[in-house]
Amino acid sequence: QDSDWTDKLHTSVGYRVDYYDVEARDPIAPQGQTAASDSINDTLQSGQVSFNYKLNADFTGYGAASYNEATSNSMAGGNVLGGGNVISAQNFATENTLVEFGLKYAPIDSDWYADGAVFSQRRSLRNRDGSNSGVKTQGAEFQVFYQHNDVWVNAAYSYLDARFDDSAAFQGTSQVIDAFDNSRPDIVNGTGVGSPSFTAFDPSDSRVQGIPRQMVSLNTGWQLTDDFAVGASALYTKSFPLDFLQTVNIRDQYSLDLNADYRINEQLRVRADVINVTDQDNWQPLFEGGYFGATLVMPNVPRHVQLTMQYAF
């Protein structure tokens, strides 16, 4: 329900109910055996409320809150028989909440605006064994946007503090040095435990690994003619831990991309992107199957060109 209470105040309220009636059955039971099966039904609810309030001609504030119950599974929307040949009730126990407040400053008859927001979020992270770990995140985002004639520029900054919500955490290996023995102490004092060696950590509010706390981005574009435009984008991320124990960090990184777009006619346009122009050796964590691996890290693609053609019928 969208409502305009005054010229300054607008609200939006929404509510949703989903009913699930699910059955799972072993499709290839041994001959002569009764196929294992189970069924479950549940009702999940979601709701949201938000408002916009125009403080004056230049400032607008907003607030939003939402609550969401959702399924949690890795079978493309389906469900499987778990331990004891039953459907886990945890597959229907995912809860997510969000509270956010923001402010936008857009001077009248100007070529720019700025906005910022702060938020607090709680969500569920599905683990490989089918359980859910809670994650709480607090953060802030700010951006400035400028456009004049055929040139536009956007600069943004974000801060995220993501922590486990008194929940357990799981890793493919406890720490990076478990992958090494102690045969070369001049290089690394390894433990010799081996890797992978699945590790479960006790419930805590430790920082979630693999997520940078600070990011800065800059995007710009220039419409040179009615049919031809060029642009650039840059992204900078602060150092962040690769593993739960924070023994190894992925360093500060940046990436610079360039692009050009040409409209051949009303229906056909082509675009070229040069990605990672400076050919930086950037890295990203590997998150797969519900847990991080302390010894798993993946290099980003080096400098490369991507060509795109779009035809609208």
Side-chain angles (χ1 to χ4, degrees):
Q1 172 65 45
D2 292 322
S3 302
D4 290 314
W5 299 95
T6 68
D7 292 339
K8 295 184 176 182
L9 178 63
H10 174 85
T11 62
S12 177
V13 179
Y15 178 72
R16 169 175 169 160
V17 177
D18 292 303
Y19 176 75
Y20 290 85
D21 188 2
V22 181
E23 180 180 354
R25 179 183 301 273
D26 183 355
I28 51 174
Q31 187 173 2
Q33 299 292 321
T34 302
S37 64
D38 188 33
S39 62
I40 192 173
N41 59 72
D42 206 347
T43 300
L44 305 183
Q45 305 178 63
S46 301
Q48 66 87 22
V49 58
S50 65
F51 73 87
N52 291 320
Y53 185 76
K54 196 169 184 63
L55 300 171
N56 55 42
D58 297 334
F59 285 94
T60 301
Y62 78 89
S66 66
Y67 172 80
N68 170 265
E69 296 176 343
T71 60
S72 173
N73 59 73
S74 56
M75 294 297 295
N79 283 270
V80 298
L81 296 172
N85 287 325
V86 299
I87 299 172
S88 174
Q90 284 196 336
N91 288 353
F92 302 87
T94 300
E95 296 182 349
N96 308 282
T97 62
L98 171 68
V99 177
E100 179 175 338
F101 294 97
L103 182 67
K104 180 178 181 180
Y105 175 60
I108 296 177
D109 298 328
S110 67
D111 297 323
W112 69 280
Y113 71 83
D115 59 49
V118 294
F119 63 88
S120 177
Q121 177 194 60
R122 292 179 183 264
R123 63 182 178 86
S124 292
L125 175 68
R126 180 176 171 83
N127 301 312
R128 176 167 287 190
D129 64 356
S131 64
N132 292 299
S133 292
V135 175
K136 56 184 179 182
T137 303
Q138 295 180 331
E141 300 174 340
F142 306 94
Q143 73 162 337
V144 177
F145 185 88
Y146 170 84
Q147 183 172 12
H148 181 72
N149 294 334
D150 298 323
V151 177
W152 64 269
V153 180
N154 172 256
Y157 167 83
S158 67
Y159 173 84
L160 294 175
D161 182 24
R163 297 181 176 274
F164 289 99
D165 191 8
D166 296 321
S167 296
F170 303 89
Q171 264 185 187
T173 301
S174 175
Q175 52 188 337
V176 175
I177 59 175
D178 289 345
F180 303 91
D181 60 22
N182 202 28
S183 60
R184 289 295 304 275
D186 56 314
I187 298 177
V188 60
N189 288 313
T191 65
V193 171
S195 178
S197 56
F198 181 80
T199 305
F201 296 99
D202 293 335
S204 70
D205 62 352
S206 296
R207 180 180 173 185
V208 177
Q209 64 272 43
I211 300 177
R213 271 186 174 168
Q214 300 185 69
M215 293 187 295
V216 179
S217 64
L218 180 65
N219 298 276
T220 183
W222 185 10
Q223 192 75 38
L224 294 172
T225 69
D226 290 341
D227 300 322
F228 183 58
V230 295
S233 62
L235 176 66
Y236 173 81
T237 56
K238 287 291 293 181
S239 174
F240 58 93
L242 175 64
D243 60 326
F244 178 85
L245 296 176
Q246 302 184 32
T247 60
V248 172
N249 281 3
I250 292 180
R251 55 173 170 73
D252 291 13
Q253 301 184 137
Y254 75 89
S255 178
L256 175 64
D257 304 334
L258 301 177
N259 64 78
D261 185 281
Y262 181 68
R263 185 180 64 177
I264 298 175
N265 53 46
E266 291 296 327
Q267 295 176 295
L268 180 62
R269 65 192 311 152
V270 293
R271 178 184 172 101
D273 290 88
V274 183
I275 301 173
N276 193 8
V277 173
T278 56
D279 203 21
Q280 297 297 301
D281 293 326
N282 291 334
W283 303 84
Q284 65 181 14
L286 186 60
F287 178 77
E288 183 178 354
Y291 66 84
F292 289 89
T295 57
L296 301 178
V297 65
M298 185 167 64
N300 286 346
V301 179
R303 180 175 54 231
H304 61 286
V305 177
Q306 179 177 297
L307 300 176
T308 307
M309 181 176 68
Q310 178 181 339
Y311 185 86
F313 293 92

